[in-house]
Amino acid sequence: SKVKELSSEVVDNNPYSRLMALQRMGIVDNYERIREFSVAIVGIGGVGSVAAEMLTRCGIGRLLLYDYDTVELANMNRLFFRPDQVGMTKTDAAVQTLAEINPDVVLESFTMNITTVQGFETFTSSLTNKSFCPSKEGGSGVDLVLSCVDNYEARMAVNQACNELRQTWMESGVSEDAVSGHIQLLVPGETACFACAPPLECISGIWVNLRILLSRVVASGIDERTLKREGVCAASLPTTMGVVAGLLVQNSLKFLLNFGEVSPYLGYNSLKDFFPTMKMRPNPQCSNVACLQRQKEYMLAKPERDAAAKAK
Ligand code: ATP
Ligand code: ZN
């Protein structure tokens, strides 16, 4: 009855009232803080575009969008893009739609490949721009990076930038057969980085070490895109991508607004409706130098963390 009483107050037409009700109901302490947060989304495809729309509708402060591709008719089996946007860059098409949905969100569009030398430089320098949040501590000007790309090299580039900038990020993926996916939280030094531990992906009911599989493809010099084009065309479903985007943004909201439990890893197997979770510790033998530096810092800060925990 308390919920009934509370929700009867919010019968106006402002979408923010529905979000602010989360605060009145005691789920979130301070929902309005969402307007102060910046989120970078790398890959505005089947998962990234939907994640961007969800954050826009939640009233996020600022979104930085990265993608090198253009909208194609073949993308219409996913959510978000419309046929009249075919030929536009994905980032510009996204800005067009998102600005209509919520003009309060600051939108920045980066049409580029983050794995080229120039692209990587632009990527890291855009992440360090603090004009939106001058008082933010640390080297980064964003609060969270979401990786929604579909290849190993791009994930490694996000991993490198985030390890260097001490930037917390979340990784997402959908399997090539379109029936499973995952999200993963990566906190440099504290959790496994993308180069630390093998991720597990459930393909047709079998747990596959996708990272080793993909690193072999990359190491053998075969271009993943060629492999995709010449081999069997990868499947995709708006349902699986929508679910993964939902899990990713739900975890992001919990992380940013500090409510509930932030999942370190959450898998989704649609064939069995199985949602495995696990924690991955950093690998002291990780090949990524920046990861090893972050691990060292994390160890050195242990007395501080213990004291803070005791004071609580
Ligand atoms: P498909 O390959 O099935 O046609 P897609 O390429 O649109 O689909 P998605 O999984 O829907 O793939 O989305 C991944 C997105 O990540 C794509 O829009 C792609 O352009 C983007 N992306 C991948 N690698 C990079 C990169 N290095 N820099 C910028 N964007 C990238
Ligand atoms: Zn690592």
Side-chain angles (χ1 to χ4, degrees):
S1 73
K2 190 169 176 230
V3 170
K4 223 177 190 175
E5 202 181 287
L6 286 165
S7 55
S8 64
E9 293 170 17
V10 285
V11 283
D12 57 63
N13 276 325
N14 185 347
Y16 281 112
S17 334
R18 267 71 173 179
L19 295 165
M20 289 306 295
L22 287 168
Q23 200 166 312
R24 280 196 298 279
M25 290 177 187
I27 303 293
V28 179
D29 284 343
N30 183 357
Y31 189 85
E32 267 169 305
R33 280 193 65 207
I34 193 132
R35 291 165 183 253
E36 294 164 23
F37 296 129
S38 289
V39 176
I41 307 181
V42 188
I44 312 300
V47 173
S49 62
V50 178
E53 178 173 345
M54 286 174 171
L55 287 167
T56 297
R57 290 184 190 272
C58 286
I60 196 81
R62 172 174 166 246
L63 285 179
L64 295 83
L65 310 172
Y66 305 83
D67 203 300
Y68 55 57
D69 210 5
T70 52
V71 180
E72 288 170 37
L73 265 183
N75 298 135
M76 295 307 134
N77 70 323
R78 289 109 191 249
L79 304 174
F80 192 72
F81 292 118
R82 300 184 306 261
D84 61 87
Q85 293 177 319
V86 166
M88 286 178 81
T89 67
K90 286 183 178 175
T91 52
D92 288 349
V95 168
Q96 181 185 57
T97 303
L98 300 175
E100 269 173 40
I101 293 172
N102 186 348
D104 294 339
V105 183
V106 177
L107 297 163
E108 293 175 26
S109 154
F110 297 90
T111 306
M112 47 163 243
N113 182 350
I114 64 153
T115 64
T116 64
V117 175
Q118 241 242 279
F120 185 77
E121 232 174 79
T122 310
F123 177 49
T124 48
S125 69
S126 61
L127 291 179
T128 53
N129 177 0
K130 286 195 188 174
S131 52
F132 183 79
C133 48
S135 56
K136 197 175 178 298
E137 283 169 34
S140 175
V142 305
D143 299 282
L144 185 63
V145 174
L146 300 180
S147 167
C148 305
V149 293
D150 58 353
N151 63 85
Y152 177 83
E153 282 167 304
R155 287 181 172 98
M156 286 301 261
V158 176
N159 188 60
Q160 184 64 39
C162 291
N163 277 344
E164 284 175 13
L165 296 172
R166 299 177 176 80
Q167 176 60 57
T168 296
W169 63 290
M170 288 183 202
E171 134 74 7
S172 67
V174 174
S175 63
E176 295 252 304
D177 63 7
V179 289
S180 63
H182 73 271
I183 62 160
Q184 186 183 341
L185 170 76
L186 298 100
V187 186
E190 186 177 338
T191 69
C193 89
F194 190 73
C196 272
L200 299 169
E201 192 81 61
C202 196
I203 299 175
S204 306
I206 302 162
W207 285 98
V208 178
N209 187 331
L210 202 66
R211 202 167 301 167
I212 289 182
L213 206 80
L214 284 173
S215 64
R216 285 202 188 126
V217 171
V218 173
S220 66
I222 307 167
D223 187 301
E224 275 178 61
R225 277 161 294 176
T226 332
L227 196 77
K228 264 191 193 165
R229 228 167 274 143
E230 285 173 3
V232 196
C233 164
S236 66
L237 279 172
T239 45
T240 311
M241 288 182 155
V243 169
V244 171
L247 296 175
L248 182 66
V249 176
Q250 196 78 290
N251 218 35
S252 303
L253 292 175
K254 290 194 285 183
F255 170 78
L256 294 169
L257 296 170
N258 195 20
F259 68 98
E261 275 172 37
V262 181
S263 274
Y265 177 100
L266 179 58
Y268 169 51
N269 174 336
S270 75
L271 300 181
K272 302 241 168 156
D273 280 341
F274 173 50
F275 294 83
T277 61
M278 60 176 131
K279 239 189 188 134
M280 285 191 268
R281 303 236 161 272
N283 177 359
Q285 265 104 51
C286 181
S287 58
N288 188 286
V289 178
C291 173
L292 297 180
Q293 287 168 346
R294 298 295 88 82
Q295 289 188 44
K296 211 168 160 189
E297 286 169 7
Y298 186 74
M299 299 262 259
L300 287 172
K302 190 176 185 303
E304 248 171 76
R305 275 195 306 280
D306 289 349
K310 224 175 180 183
K312 265 190 189 172

